[in-house]
Amino acid sequence: MDSCDSRSLRGCECPKLSVHCYNCNYFYYEQPDFLAALLIVEFPYFSRSYEIVENIVDYSFGYFDTNNQRWEKSPYFIVKRAKEILKLTSTSHVDDAIFNKIRILIDAKKYMDENIFSELFFDIFWSLNKFDPNNNFVVNMLIGWIKEGEYWSNDDYDNPKTLPYDEIMTSNPDIINKLSEMLVKSYNSIVDKRKKEQIKNQIKKNKVNKHNTHHHNKNYDGRLTPDDIDAMLETLDAENAEEDRLNELVRLDENTQKIAGRFNIFTRTLTRIAPSNQNTLNLFINILKQEWDDVNFDHDFCLKLVTSLDKIEANKQELIDFLNEKLLDNHFIDDYRRCCVAEYLLKIESENHIAINILNESLPKIKDDKMSLRIASKLQPTDKTHPLVINLKSLQDETDTSAICQEICNQIYLTTFTENPEITQVNNAPQLKRIIPQIKKQLQT
């Protein structure tokens, strides 16, 4: 039979239907392979299944033409359809065929434009990652990118991704270990950057003090706190301190500064791929403890870290115990730190009454408007408060603190007093807090 019956596929005897059917008038040349690929989903042990899959991979990514020493690709509509079919053909043959395609591509690299090779390599690589995320080649490539702190965007408006992190689909222990290692390095780099800024500020302060000392003929010993910064400053010429010398002192280089900016990415990836890993949670707890004791303690950093741990399913008891211990330690903790810890606890235990009571008591003392508004929005009603439901949808795009405070004030008055209320003008959170007792008094009369 020289060609397939154009009216029906039944009884088609074309001997190469499963590979190529160039003589068929009814099909495009790729269609028999596409049909055969769908058939091997039901019959994965078909003797020619690997050959069929290889053909689909060729349609998806192209092939190297040895005669012309160049990479050939199919038309776009064929490539698109071939990749769709490849997703349905979930057999072990797909992993092998795609990996073999990568090997062929690497061998052909010397004949190709670098940009074309790079685009094609990532296209094939991420496909292999989806089919076999534990493939040794995939795992080793990902570990290499993670080690270098690599980070780039796929530039896809409809499906944006941070590569390679958003594409990691495996809880492979080696990848988890490398991410954990880089998380620690990233945090240490953040700490070093803070030290550098502290030194720079101290140098500026010293310059002013030396100027004043010279002017007033006073002695000045130039001592710094903490002591480790004092030791580092002694090696510096305060008059001519350069950025690279400061970086050298705190062990910052281009790579470590880059890695410092990857902390949130490392955190997000670890909490996604290893939510039940106790060692991962313990690592975050240790970072939180170190941050708590750091002279440059950053509340927003800790709050964001604790918030990300909400996705962790491992046992959080150690974290809860640590926060409760700090919350009840009256010897060194001030109101600000106490509110910080209480806010962390509410992220983990929304019904923690000790934390709620502390925030209720400390809220009027908080001077940070941003923190004050955030805490006020999360407090649960108690026997000392009057729950009030207000509509704040109008504030979803507002960023000005004064405008936010005034709108909240307006809503409180309009909700509480329905008949022509005289609304107080407020510019900040402390002013907003001061009107609450007035409203309570009015409600009681």
Side-chain angles (χ1 to χ4, degrees):
M1 184 173 182
D2 294 330
S3 64
C4 296
D5 188 345
S6 63
R7 294 165 297 180
S8 173
L9 290 178
R10 186 177 301 167
C12 178
E13 298 176 0
C14 181
K16 293 188 177 181
L17 177 60
S18 61
V19 184
H20 288 292
C21 192
Y22 294 106
N23 295 325
C24 292
N25 297 322
Y26 184 76
F27 292 125
Y28 290 106
Y29 66 89
E30 78 283 352
Q31 293 292 356
D33 284 319
F34 288 177
L35 285 176
L38 297 177
L39 287 174
I40 63 174
V41 174
E42 296 296 329
F43 305 101
Y45 301 107
F46 174 52
S47 61
R48 304 187 68 178
S49 60
Y50 183 73
E51 188 178 354
I52 294 167
V53 170
E54 273 195 317
N55 291 338
I56 302 301
V57 170
D58 280 351
Y59 294 132
S60 300
F61 307 109
Y63 63 94
F64 184 64
D65 183 345
T66 54
N67 292 329
N68 295 310
Q69 300 290 295
R70 65 184 184 187
W71 197 269
E72 299 286 355
K73 296 190 69 174
S74 300
Y76 173 76
F77 72 93
I78 294 180
V79 171
K80 184 174 183 294
R81 182 60 178 155
K83 288 183 177 179
E84 291 171 353
I85 291 174
L86 205 58
K87 294 177 183 178
L88 301 175
T89 317
S90 298
T91 72
S92 60
H93 294 325
V94 176
D95 310 340
D96 295 337
I98 295 179
F99 179 59
N100 189 52
K101 182 62 65 178
I102 289 180
R103 294 173 61 184
I104 294 172
L105 177 66
I106 292 174
D107 289 339
K109 181 179 180 179
K110 59 185 177 183
Y111 301 105
M112 302 175 65
D113 176 80
E114 185 175 344
N115 291 331
I116 294 176
F117 169 83
S118 180
E119 180 181 350
L120 191 54
F121 174 83
F122 285 121
D123 187 17
I124 304 174
F125 177 84
W126 295 125
S127 296
L128 178 59
N129 176 64
K130 290 175 182 176
F131 280 99
D132 188 8
N134 285 304
N135 180 284
N136 287 334
F137 178 77
V138 170
V139 170
N140 290 332
M141 287 295 298
L142 289 174
I143 288 175
W145 288 328
I146 293 169
K147 180 179 179 181
E148 297 300 322
E150 292 292 344
Y151 158 57
W152 64 98
S153 170
N154 65 347
D155 298 322
D156 186 338
Y157 180 81
D158 296 323
N159 185 32
K161 289 183 182 295
T162 299
L163 304 175
Y165 305 96
D166 286 350
E167 284 293 310
I168 296 177
M169 304 172 66
T170 175
S171 298
N172 184 285
D174 292 334
I175 288 182
I176 292 176
N177 289 340
K178 180 54 67 176
L179 282 168
S180 300
E181 175 190 328
M182 297 305 296
L183 182 78
V184 173
K185 287 185 177 180
S186 180
Y187 175 68
N188 290 337
S189 296
I190 290 173
V191 171
D192 291 338
K193 287 182 70 175
R194 292 177 188 161
K195 287 181 180 178
K196 172 186 169 183
E197 291 304 311
Q198 186 179 11
I199 294 173
K200 287 174 69 174
N201 292 335
Q202 189 64 62
I203 290 173
K204 292 177 182 178
K205 181 180 178 181
N206 282 355
K207 287 181 178 180
V208 173
N209 288 340
K210 285 184 177 180
H211 173 76
N212 292 336
T213 299
H214 177 74
H215 182 72
H216 296 290
N217 195 27
K218 293 180 180 179
N219 293 324
Y220 177 72
D221 60 6
R223 292 187 59 79
L224 297 171
T225 55
D227 293 339
D228 60 331
I229 294 181
D230 180 37
M232 288 188 287
L233 261 180
E234 289 177 358
T235 66
L236 280 175
D237 176 4
E239 297 294 333
N240 301 294
E242 298 178 359
E243 196 79 7
D244 55 345
R245 296 180 67 191
L246 282 172
N247 288 338
E248 184 179 351
L249 279 174
V250 296
R251 297 165 307 190
L252 277 177
D253 56 31
E254 184 178 349
N255 188 52
T256 53
Q257 292 192 69
K258 177 179 70 175
I259 290 173
R262 305 289 183 262
F263 184 86
N264 291 334
I265 295 175
F266 296 143
T267 299
R268 185 179 70 232
T269 307
L270 275 171
T271 55
R272 176 174 60 82
I273 68 173
S276 301
N277 190 306
Q278 192 66 44
N279 291 333
T280 298
L281 176 60
N282 293 341
L283 178 64
F284 286 120
I285 293 174
N286 289 337
I287 289 175
L288 189 65
K289 289 179 178 179
Q290 183 178 337
E291 180 67 17
W292 182 261
D293 294 330
D294 194 284
V295 66
N296 296 309
F297 167 78
D298 185 337
H299 170 53
D300 288 337
F301 173 87
C302 287
L303 181 62
K304 193 168 186 178
L305 180 59
V306 174
T307 302
S308 68
L309 299 186
D310 183 55
K311 301 174 184 177
I312 294 284
E313 300 167 3
N315 191 326
K316 297 187 178 74
Q317 194 57 50
E318 182 185 351
L319 175 60
I320 294 170
D321 291 344
F322 167 73
L323 294 176
N324 276 319
E325 176 191 344
K326 298 304 178 186
L327 191 67
L328 301 175
D329 189 342
N330 294 318
H331 295 291
F332 79 97
I333 189 170
D334 55 22
D335 286 332
Y336 173 72
R337 284 282 188 112
R338 195 182 304 280
C339 287
C340 291
V341 178
E343 194 173 5
Y344 305 154
L345 271 170
L346 289 184
K347 285 290 183 180
I348 305 169
E349 294 184 320
S350 59
E351 301 297 325
N352 190 301
H353 297 295
I354 297 177
I356 292 172
N357 290 336
I358 285 176
L359 289 179
N360 273 317
E361 294 171 2
S362 303
L363 187 58
K365 304 175 186 177
I366 299 175
K367 298 179 181 180
D368 185 332
D369 287 353
K370 179 182 175 183
M371 183 179 182
S372 179
L373 289 172
R374 187 173 63 236
I375 291 175
S377 69
K378 294 176 182 176
L379 285 177
Q380 300 293 324
T382 68
D383 55 355
K384 297 182 180 179
T385 65
H386 300 275
L388 189 66
V389 179
I390 58 178
N391 184 356
L392 298 178
K393 285 186 177 179
S394 60
L395 295 177
Q396 60 185 359
D397 297 320
E398 184 60 67
T399 58
D400 181 70
T401 300
S402 176
I404 292 173
C405 291
Q406 185 60 58
E407 180 60 22
I408 292 176
C409 180
N410 295 345
Q411 291 292 336
I412 290 174
Y413 271 96
L414 292 173
T415 306
T416 308
F417 309 106
T418 55
E419 297 182 1
N420 302 320
E422 294 184 7
I423 300 176
T424 302
Q425 298 298 310
V426 296
N427 296 314
N428 50 50
Q431 291 180 10
L432 177 61
K433 285 182 284 188
R434 281 197 290 271
I435 72 167
I436 303 301
Q438 300 173 18
I439 294 176
K440 286 183 179 180
K441 187 175 181 180
Q442 287 179 267
L443 287 171
Q444 291 169 354
T445 58

